[in-house]
Amino acid sequence: MADEIDVSLASYEELMDLEKDFESAELEILRQQIPLLKPLYEKRTSAIAKIPNFWALVFEQAPPDLDQFIQPSDSAVLLSSLTSISVSHFDVENGGKGDPRNVAVTMEFAENEWFEDKVLVKKFWHRQSKGNDAGLVSEPVAIKWKAADKDLTQGMLDLAIKVWENDKKQGPSDSTKVKKEKDYNADEKALKAKIEATGRGGVSFFAWFGFRGLNVSEEESRLAIEKDKKDRAEREAGNAPDLLEAQEEEEDDDEDDDEDPFGLEIFPEGDEVAIEITEDLWPNAIKYFTQAQEVDVSDMDFEEEDEDEEMDDDEEKPKTNGS
Amino acid sequence: MADEIDVSLASYEELMDLEKDFESAELEILRQQIPLLKPLYEKRTSAIAKIPNFWALVFEQAPPDLDQFIQPSDSAVLLSSLTSISVSHFDVENGGKGDPRNVAVTMEFAENEWFEDKVLVKKFWHRQSKGNDAGLVSEPVAIKWKAADKDLTQGMLDLAIKVWENDKKQGPSDSTKVKKEKDYNADEKALKAKIEATGRGGVSFFAWFGFRGLNVSEEESRLAIEKDKKDRAEREAGNAPDLLEAQEEEEDDDEDDDEDPFGLEIFPEGDEVAIEITEDLWPNAIKYFTQAQEVDVSDMDFEEEDEDEEMDDDEEKPKTNGS
């Protein structure tokens, strides 16, 4: 039995190292593929510019994983005012060697009754913590609401910005330093109360601009990735603590913080939304637009048909795979 | 109003052409990426070989889109006998210039009470029909059941093979030739009855080996893709029927067949299963295995903890994004 566990741990370590190799290979592939696709996305941007409401319609047809975060009041804003979305993998677009998972989502808006901003840019960076957590981090982006009763987040975004501005004054981010709830200042207490009062389901999509994610600085991430590589090289050379011991060590480091590091996050699924937009809405926008239009040119011919017949027609259509 | 429709049709055409450009670019990227990842998959295969039941556990942890097709009786077979899965993009793996969506799924089995086969290989080809439908097609693969009451498909797969063998004698596939139900021969009638008696929910996963898909020959697909390219070039040169007229023409071609081309398909979602295996189960196998094992090395240290504490631990774990 002891033997079995040994084998399985060694194999497990090998598998985890392989997962890292796959991740590196896939990042390198992404790094090459983004500049290749860029001219096509630019062509698409020109084609889309001729179509009024393109992005509003795409957002309306958003996949369920994204749509769940759009409240009816958000829909009204997006449908009437969203004029453009663009996604930029800013670190690799021009052949750069950075992380292709770093993205900026730019949303443009027409004059509207809710806020002054014509452009909102939300940037995300992929970072790794000392404790080996990895994910997208971001900085809150302020929205200039035209009046308090036009604020779709009901003050939550403004408070999140205030808390963040104050955090910045305390020094750089550190994933191991999580403030205990009993040490919250007045703004933090107010924010916590607002988050609890709003409840998970009722948060506006626009609170997404307040997402922060893991509290990891660029420096912490760089060191964590370096340590990872060093540990692995030593492990492969046979003279280093194995993965289990390394992780135990990290566990010990972490033992102090029994606080929820996301206690003051106003949009906890902000990273998921970024990934949904980047990996689904953006690349598949034409597909969602076509769905929204329900334009099927082959049907235009048959407009006189009654509804029953059209339904039969649909049922008989051979499936196609999403290639 | 008429003007508006014209603009929108021209834009629609432009968008559809762009979608084709994206598709070509993505195929080219896939074509380059598959040989790059091949050595890593080979390394993974060696690592996995040391772990008993790896694939059986992965299959048990299959994502819902795949799991829905696995009956309890299938699970028993897979868990006790599945020893290996592999996915091969056979047309591009060694730098070939074919379609990277063409795949072969190879499943290997230990000696078992249900069938004689040690290896089952299911191949798929991506094809396009004259009528502009596209998707994966395949050929039925026979399974040598050890006895009639061991046949998980209850005779359905054997009948599908018989029907297919007979179809082959009638000449090459042609997507526009769909046999009317009134012209079915005895085997086809028997198969149709069996499909209807089984009902959608109750079909064994092993019926997947009988999937055929669109009735499109390699030649029909080649010609359809060529015609597509020619039409587009002429359209861009400004002297060709536009997309709408072209599609109307194709509609006319199709008008004869008001029969369901998938009336004798024993596993209509066979293409989806192929895609689930190829694009999710196969690349994410280590992730699913880890889930199945619920191996979290960082928890091994805390086995003495009571369950409540462990749950607290989980809740506090920061989210990571699936990069």
Side-chain angles (χ1 to χ4, degrees), chain A residues 175-322:
Chain A
S175 68
T176 57
K177 281 182 194 141
V178 179
K179 209 171 190 180
K180 291 193 193 331
E181 204 169 330
K182 65 178 171 55
D183 301 329
Y184 280 176
N185 64 28
D187 288 334
E188 287 163 339
K189 276 182 192 150
L191 181 55
K192 183 81 192 169
K194 221 173 238 305
I195 290 169
E196 279 167 2
T198 311
R200 268 177 65 104
V203 181
S204 162
F205 171 77
F206 288 88
W208 176 63
F209 287 96
F211 172 78
R212 296 173 57 168
L214 283 170
N215 196 29
V216 182
S217 67
E218 198 175 344
E219 180 69 0
E220 177 178 339
S221 185
R222 198 180 54 74
L223 292 173
I225 293 167
E226 259 175 29
K227 184 173 181 300
D228 234 31
K229 280 192 195 144
K230 205 175 124 266
D231 285 356
R232 177 167 173 188
E234 289 191 10
R235 209 162 56 240
E236 279 174 356
N239 52 8
D242 64 23
L243 199 61
L244 181 62
E245 281 170 39
Q247 292 221 0
E248 271 171 25
E249 201 179 290
E250 279 149 17
E251 283 287 324
D252 290 344
D253 280 356
D254 285 353
E255 235 150 350
D256 285 341
D257 56 287
D258 48 357
E259 287 297 312
D260 176 6
F262 303 108
L264 293 174
E265 188 72 79
I266 65 171
F267 200 101
E269 306 87 348
D271 49 350
E272 289 167 40
V273 166
I275 291 168
E276 283 300 320
I277 291 178
T278 309
E279 296 182 4
D280 188 354
L281 201 77
W282 173 248
N284 298 315
I286 295 180
K287 190 187 88 194
Y288 289 121
F289 172 73
T290 315
Q291 274 175 23
Q293 291 283 79
E294 294 182 330
V295 167
D296 185 346
V297 282
S298 63
D299 279 347
M300 287 192 178
D301 201 357
F302 301 103
E303 264 165 26
E304 301 86 353
E305 281 189 331
D306 71 39
E307 222 166 284
D308 277 359
E309 269 178 88
E310 264 178 55
M311 282 183 55
D312 284 353
D313 219 64
D314 279 353
E315 275 165 29
E316 273 161 29
K317 208 166 286 166
K319 284 179 311 153
T320 59
N321 89 301

Side-chain angles (χ1 to χ4, degrees), chain A residues 103-200:
Chain A
V103 285
V105 177
T106 302
M107 296 177 86
E108 295 179 49
F109 297 90
E111 176 67 32
N112 65 67
E113 59 181 287
W114 294 277
F115 47 79
E116 302 286 352
D117 311 84
K118 293 287 170 293
V119 181
L120 294 171
V121 183
K122 181 78 178 156
K123 281 181 104 169
F124 295 85
W125 295 268
H126 193 274
R127 298 221 175 119
Q128 184 173 329
S129 77
K130 294 181 219 180
N132 257 326
D133 291 307
L136 293 178
V137 310
S138 185
E139 293 178 353
V141 172
I143 296 178
K144 291 185 213 79
W145 306 106
K146 287 194 173 171
D149 67 345
K150 296 294 181 188
D151 179 347
L152 294 155
T153 72
Q154 285 147 341
M156 204 155 71
L157 181 58
D158 287 352
L159 261 177
I161 303 262
K162 248 174 128 176
V163 167
W164 176 68
E165 298 281 3
N166 189 54
D167 283 353
K168 275 200 298 185
K169 287 181 205 139
Q170 316 302 311
S173 305
D174 182 336
S175 68
T176 57
K177 281 182 194 141
V178 179
K179 209 171 190 180
K180 291 193 193 331
E181 204 169 330
K182 65 178 171 55
D183 301 329
Y184 280 176
N185 64 28
D187 288 334
E188 287 163 339
K189 276 182 192 150
L191 181 55
K192 183 81 192 169
K194 221 173 238 305
I195 290 169
E196 279 167 2
T198 311
R200 268 177 65 104

Side-chain angles (χ1 to χ4, degrees), chain B residues 148-161:
Chain B
D149 67 346
K150 296 295 180 186
D151 179 346
L152 294 155
T153 71
Q154 283 146 340
M156 204 154 71
L157 181 59
D158 287 351
L159 260 178
I161 303 263

Side-chain angles (χ1 to χ4, degrees), chain A residues 53 56 75-84 108-115 118:
Chain A
N53 294 322
S75 275
V77 184
L78 295 168
L79 260 177
S80 66
S81 321
L82 180 67
T83 57
S84 164
E108 295 179 49
F109 297 90
E111 176 67 32
N112 65 67
E113 59 181 287
W114 294 277
F115 47 79
K118 293 287 170 293

Side-chain angles (χ1 to χ4, degrees), chain B residues 271-307:
Chain B
D271 48 352
E272 289 166 39
V273 166
I275 291 168
E276 282 301 319
I277 292 178
T278 309
E279 296 183 4
D280 188 354
L281 200 78
W282 174 248
N284 299 315
I286 293 179
K287 193 187 88 194
Y288 290 121
F289 173 74
T290 316
Q291 275 175 23
Q293 290 282 80
E294 294 180 328
V295 167
D296 183 347
V297 284
S298 64
D299 279 346
M300 283 189 179
D301 201 0
F302 301 102
E303 265 167 24
E304 302 85 355
E305 282 188 330
D306 70 39
E307 222 166 286

Side-chain angles (χ1 to χ4, degrees), chain B residues 201-232:
Chain B
V203 180
S204 162
F205 171 77
F206 287 89
W208 176 63
F209 287 97
F211 172 78
R212 296 172 58 167
L214 282 169
N215 196 28
V216 181
S217 68
E218 199 176 343
E219 179 70 0
E220 177 178 340
S221 185
R222 198 180 55 73
L223 293 173
I225 293 167
E226 259 174 30
K227 183 172 181 301
D228 235 29
K229 280 191 194 145
K230 204 175 124 267
D231 285 356
R232 177 167 174 189

